[in-house]
């Protein structure tokens, strides 16, 4: 493998590991965590399978390629786990980004709650140009309503 390509791989690894650490910090900052929606689990599972297939079928089978793929997948998934809220605001992961973003309660527009068949609540919120959807349990949705009313 060329030195330039290897260097790019290491830079990608460092960037994604820093993103995983940041998303982990966001996870621990939350008082209440969002549930991971089924479509996000399916997409992440499909992505993991695609990474493994690409590595074993089309790669030169160098370990660095697999490590970059797995760390990239972990970075992708870590954004899902970071979603939640606390007294200060809500942490979201927009669909176009894998990094979590903290949003204060005052910046949230159009907060809507929809009860799902399984007892969970789908929360739709608008933040600047992003439409965000998160799922919370019964207890968390009550607390979220109180936090959003007291903004």
């Amino acid at each position: 493998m060329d030195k330039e390509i290897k260097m790019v791989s290491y830079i990608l690894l460092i960037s994604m590991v820093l993103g995983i650490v940041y998303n982990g910090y966001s996870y621990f900052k939350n008082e209440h965590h969002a549930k991971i929606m089924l479509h996000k689990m399916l997409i992440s599972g499909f992505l993991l399978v695609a990474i493994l297939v690409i590595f074993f079928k089309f790669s030169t089978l160098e370990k660095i390629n697999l490590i970059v793929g797995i760390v990239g997948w972990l970075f992708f998934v870590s954004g899902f786990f970071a979603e939640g809220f606390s007294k200060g605001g809500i942490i979201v992961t927009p669909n176009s980004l894998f990094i979590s973003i903290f949003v204060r309660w005052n910046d949230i527009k159009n907060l809507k709650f929809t009860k799902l068949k399984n007892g969970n609540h789908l929360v739709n919120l608008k933040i600047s140009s992003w439409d965000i959807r998160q799922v919370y349990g019964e207890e968390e949705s009550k607390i979220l309503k109180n936090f959003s009313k007291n903004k």
Side-chain angles (χ1 to χ4, degrees), residues 20-21 35 42 44 53 58-59 63 84 95-96 98 105 128 143:
I20 292 168
V21 169
K35 296 181 181 287
L42 292 174
S44 64
V53 166
F58 303 109
S59 171
K63 290 180 187 175
N95 293 337
S96 58
F98 303 136
W105 292 115
S128 71
I143 297 169

Side-chain angles (χ1 to χ4, degrees), residues 1-17 51-52 54-56 59-73:
M1 183 182 285
D2 294 82
K3 286 183 179 180
E4 293 85 14
I5 294 175
K6 210 167 221 176
M7 185 58 70
V8 169
S9 298
Y10 289 126
I11 291 171
L12 269 174
L13 273 175
I14 291 169
S15 301
M16 290 185 291
V17 167
I51 288 168
L52 294 174
I54 289 170
F55 175 72
F56 288 112
S59 171
T60 58
L61 299 179
E62 291 189 34
K63 290 180 187 175
I64 190 71
N65 295 338
L66 182 61
I67 291 170
V68 167
I70 297 298
V71 170
W73 178 77

Side-chain angles (χ1 to χ4, degrees), residues 74-94:
L74 289 172
F75 177 49
F76 176 73
V77 171
S78 70
F80 301 155
F81 288 102
E83 293 181 331
F85 65 93
S86 63
K87 292 177 185 171
I90 191 163
I91 293 181
V92 298
T93 306

